[in-house]
Amino acid sequence: MKVLVIGNGGREHALAWKLSESKNVDKIFMARGNGGTEDFCENLDLDPKDIHGLLKFAHEEKIDLTVVGPEDPLCLGIVDAFKEKGLKVFGPNKDCARFEKSKEFTKKFLEKYSIPTAKYKSFENYDEAIEGLSEFSYPLVVKADGLCLGKGVIICQNLEEAKDALHKIFKDKIFGDEGSTVVIEEFLTGEEASVLCLVSDNKLFPLERAKDHKQIFDGDKGPNTGGVGTYSPVAASQELEKNLQVIYRQIEDGLDKEKLTYSGILFIGFMIEEDKPKVLEFNVRFGDPETEVLMPRLDCDLFELLNKTIDGKLKEEDIKWKDETCLTVIMCSGGYPASYEKGKEISGLDDVDEDIIVFHNGTKKSDALYTNGGRVLSVTALGKNLEEARKKAYDNVAKINFDGAYFRKDIGTKKNNNI
């Protein structure tokens, strides 16, 4: 069987790596892939948003399964286009991709089906949004409605910051048309957590949880990033698990009543306080870096799992996990998530231990391997517990070098490792 994986980050590298273990998979193509995926896949010079080019390639090459990594092609309708041509593809259709494309769409869905979430109001012009601020206390959250490359969320501590955020979005148009609608919502406190669910014909199958570290500096300080480290599994109390199950059923009920047909991944962002979860957001694709710790722990054939999901034949017992803990530390370019330089030569990868997996987030290979993004490498280790996995990962991070390399030194050290 031939598989096409669309994307070029650590998430896609991890998916392709796991797919390569399947007895059913003979060849994997990556569009575009990175300096790490070309070691075992064929990288293609095709943009993940080039729907026509990808469709043409998949049709001509007779691809048996296409797996879509990033959100942009999903929101552009790549799944619909592939299905129209009779090609098997993993990911939600364009209708369902609105859960990530539009924050307002998601909030309305949550409100309609009484799913716990933050109080909110949406606005389409600056003056009304300014007036609407009076209905909220501080801090509050201002969100541009669209994708905004994951940067459309601004936490405001006071009125002046909120006015400034609204001015930048509505007047300065820092997010272009993706900021034509703005959602203002209350600021929730608690522990942030994410759950990835396989969704097969509107039925949710939660995967084991992973704890992401979004802020760039140790101690959860500094600006948010795309995620700079994570580990799995994460424990949950019986009360929390019960409350999560209620929300999963509410989502399923809402999908059915809206006459949506969801197949793929639903990534649910939660804020949890005293075992009471509230939904922060939906994403419609595998999380990054969560995928980098879930794939090494997955103890079944990913190719078969994705096909069963698409075919509506998935069962809970199909999803199996290793008992081990997995932890990844992401090595970043200096300056990330603000400005950073690319093209720094990477050394030391040949020295890492044999049982360490290094997923490439942003690399490029020519005469040597070079940095090609803000997040560069996910150094990933399995261990019998969190402490062992953490030590193995950091011991090997120390062997890898590139100019300006930065990484958090406290991934997996939080005293409360529950959610």
Side-chain angles (χ1 to χ4, degrees):
M1 297 283 192
K2 292 189 282 190
V3 176
L4 170 62
V5 178
I6 296 172
N8 60 344
R11 163 183 53 210
E12 291 79 19
H13 188 168
L15 291 169
W17 171 82
K18 190 64 183 179
L19 285 163
S20 72
E21 292 184 344
S22 171
K23 64 183 184 297
N24 300 300
V25 175
D26 303 307
K27 182 155 188 176
I28 300 174
F29 298 92
M30 299 286 297
R32 287 187 160 103
N34 56 46
T37 60
E38 73 172 53
D39 291 341
F40 65 103
C41 304
E42 183 177 332
N43 286 354
L44 308 172
D45 187 20
L46 278 171
D47 190 292
K49 292 188 283 188
D50 180 6
I51 310 297
H52 176 74
L54 292 164
L55 185 59
K56 183 173 182 289
F57 174 83
H59 181 72
E60 291 176 353
E61 195 64 35
K62 295 182 172 57
I63 296 296
D64 297 288
L65 175 66
T66 297
V67 181
V68 187
E71 62 273 20
D72 283 334
L74 293 169
C75 294
L76 289 169
I78 189 170
V79 169
D80 309 69
F82 270 58
K83 284 184 175 178
E84 282 175 15
K85 294 295 184 182
L87 292 166
K88 203 162 200 178
V89 57
F90 180 84
N93 59 32
K94 192 174 183 179
D95 264 357
C96 294
R98 287 180 294 169
F99 283 117
E100 182 154 1
K101 184 177 175 62
S102 170
K103 298 177 183 69
E104 182 186 35
F105 178 82
T106 296
K107 294 296 285 191
K108 285 181 175 179
F109 176 88
L110 296 171
E111 184 179 53
K112 184 174 181 178
Y113 294 101
S114 303
I115 299 167
T117 190
K119 168 192 167 185
Y120 84 101
K121 289 200 78 170
S122 58
F123 302 90
E124 293 182 359
N125 71 69
Y126 174 76
D127 291 331
E128 288 182 5
I130 291 293
E131 286 183 22
L133 291 172
S134 63
E135 299 180 39
F136 295 83
S137 57
Y138 293 90
L140 56 76
V141 185
V142 174
K143 297 180 175 181
D145 182 55
L147 294 174
C148 308
L149 299 173
K151 298 177 181 177
V153 177
I154 304 169
I155 298 171
C156 306
Q157 301 295 332
N158 52 53
L159 178 61
E160 288 307 309
E161 288 185 11
K163 286 182 175 178
D164 182 59
L166 292 171
H167 193 280
K168 285 178 178 175
I169 296 172
F170 278 120
K171 302 289 189 181
D172 299 338
K173 297 191 179 298
I174 60 172
F175 300 121
D177 290 342
E178 293 185 341
S180 58
T181 298
V182 166
V183 173
I184 300 175
E185 66 178 39
E186 69 173 319
F187 179 82
L188 297 178
T189 58
E191 187 79 9
E192 195 169 340
S194 303
V195 179
L196 279 72
C197 301
L198 285 169
V199 187
S200 182
D201 196 19
N202 288 357
K203 182 170 174 55
L204 273 61
F205 295 83
L207 304 182
E208 291 216 345
R209 285 175 286 273
K211 172 64 179 175
D212 186 16
H213 297 68
K214 290 190 181 300
Q215 289 174 279
I216 188 66
F217 300 129
D218 289 1
D220 293 332
K221 299 186 186 305
N224 278 347
T225 69
V228 289
T230 187
Y231 58 86
S232 176
V234 183
S237 69
Q238 286 187 336
E239 180 67 17
L240 173 56
E241 191 60 52
K242 183 182 77 173
N243 292 333
L244 290 171
Q245 291 294 331
V246 170
I247 290 176
Y248 302 149
R249 303 293 83 80
Q250 288 175 298
I251 293 169
E252 291 172 347
D253 183 55
L255 292 172
D256 287 341
K257 287 180 176 173
E258 292 297 310
K259 293 183 168 48
L260 294 168
T261 304
Y262 202 115
S263 176
I265 280 280
L266 182 65
F267 179 129
I268 311 171
F270 288 106
M271 185 65 78
I272 298 167
E273 191 168 37
E274 296 180 351
D275 288 336
K276 293 182 175 62
K278 290 186 177 181
V279 175
L280 291 173
E281 63 179 357
F282 286 159
N283 294 320
V284 298
R285 35 66 188 182
F286 282 99
D288 189 346
E290 290 89 350
T291 307
E292 286 93 310
V293 292
L294 291 175
M295 290 304 104
R297 292 195 59 236
L298 189 65
D299 200 20
C300 52
D301 188 313
L302 180 62
F303 181 82
E304 292 180 0
L305 211 58
L306 300 185
N307 274 288
K308 286 180 180 179
T309 302
I310 295 166
D311 296 339
K313 297 178 180 178
L314 187 64
K315 299 176 182 177
E316 285 185 17
E317 55 265 32
D318 294 326
I319 309 171
K320 299 180 176 66
W321 301 97
K322 297 173 185 174
D323 290 334
E324 294 168 288
T325 294
C326 191
L327 180 142
T328 191
V329 177
I330 297 190
M331 300 184 71
C332 304
S333 296
Y336 175 79
S339 61
Y340 57 86
E341 294 181 355
K342 300 179 183 180
K344 306 297 184 182
E345 185 172 351
I346 302 168
S347 63
L349 284 174
D350 292 338
D351 299 324
V352 301
D353 296 338
E354 286 186 4
D355 61 344
I356 296 297
I357 313 160
V358 181
F359 297 118
H360 293 227
N361 299 79
T363 66
K364 191 172 184 178
K365 190 178 284 186
S366 52
D367 59 312
L369 187 68
Y370 296 93
T371 66
N372 193 42
R375 294 185 297 169
V376 179
L377 299 169
S378 294
V379 183
T380 307
L382 285 161
K384 63 179 181 288
N385 53 42
L386 183 61
E387 292 72 24
E388 181 179 277
R390 182 177 187 278
K391 183 178 187 305
K392 287 168 68 175
Y394 276 105
D395 284 350
N396 283 275
V397 165
K399 300 176 183 179
I400 304 168
N401 296 286
F402 54 88
D403 185 33
Y406 170 80
F407 56 91
R408 273 183 61 164
K409 299 174 179 61
D410 66 342
I411 305 301
T413 60
K414 205 165 185 180
K415 288 181 181 178
N416 177 15
N417 288 322
N418 297 344
I419 60 169

